[in-house]
Amino acid sequence: MPPASATSARRRRAAGVAIDVLVEIDVGTQRCGTAPGAPALAIAEVIARTPGLSFRGIQAYHGAAQHLRAPEERRAAIARAAAMARETRAAIETAGIPVRR
């Protein structure tokens, strides 16, 4: 853990505070978030074992889908994004980490 994170973790523990954390996954826009699946699981594992942090779940947003004009194309993009989110959630839960959101 980087020194600043360790200092922050000590302060949170001393204050009895835990910060809820979501892992954002990139579901197709290549704009923000980590890759779904194993990369997101690795981040969730670090959060889950870091004192003062509480892994709450994943966040996924495919904002570009709203700009797809053909309904079939939009549905397919949203279905792919939802599948990536479901698969990521399943990987995290299989690792024994509860996903609340």
Side-chain angles (χ1 to χ4, degrees):
M1 181 181 311
S5 296
T7 300
S8 179
R10 281 194 301 276
R11 288 181 180 157
R12 286 190 305 275
R13 270 195 314 271
V17 173
I19 297 172
D20 291 343
V21 180
L22 298 174
V23 173
E24 182 167 9
I25 59 171
D26 178 0
V27 291
T29 59
Q30 299 176 338
R31 183 173 169 196
C32 55
T34 190
L41 169 58
I43 295 170
E45 289 172 329
V46 170
I47 294 165
R49 70 174 178 256
T50 301
L53 297 181
S54 177
F55 176 77
R56 299 302 288 176
I58 59 173
Q59 144 57 37
Y61 176 64
H62 194 330
Q66 67 185 321
H67 300 291
L68 299 172
R69 295 294 166 226
E72 317 75 51
E73 190 179 6
R74 190 175 318 117
R75 274 193 291 278
I78 292 167
R80 284 190 302 275
M84 286 186 259
R86 280 192 304 275
E87 291 165 8
T88 300
R89 179 183 183 136
I92 294 169
E93 290 177 331
T94 297
I97 302 170
V99 179
R100 293 175 177 85
R101 294 182 182 179

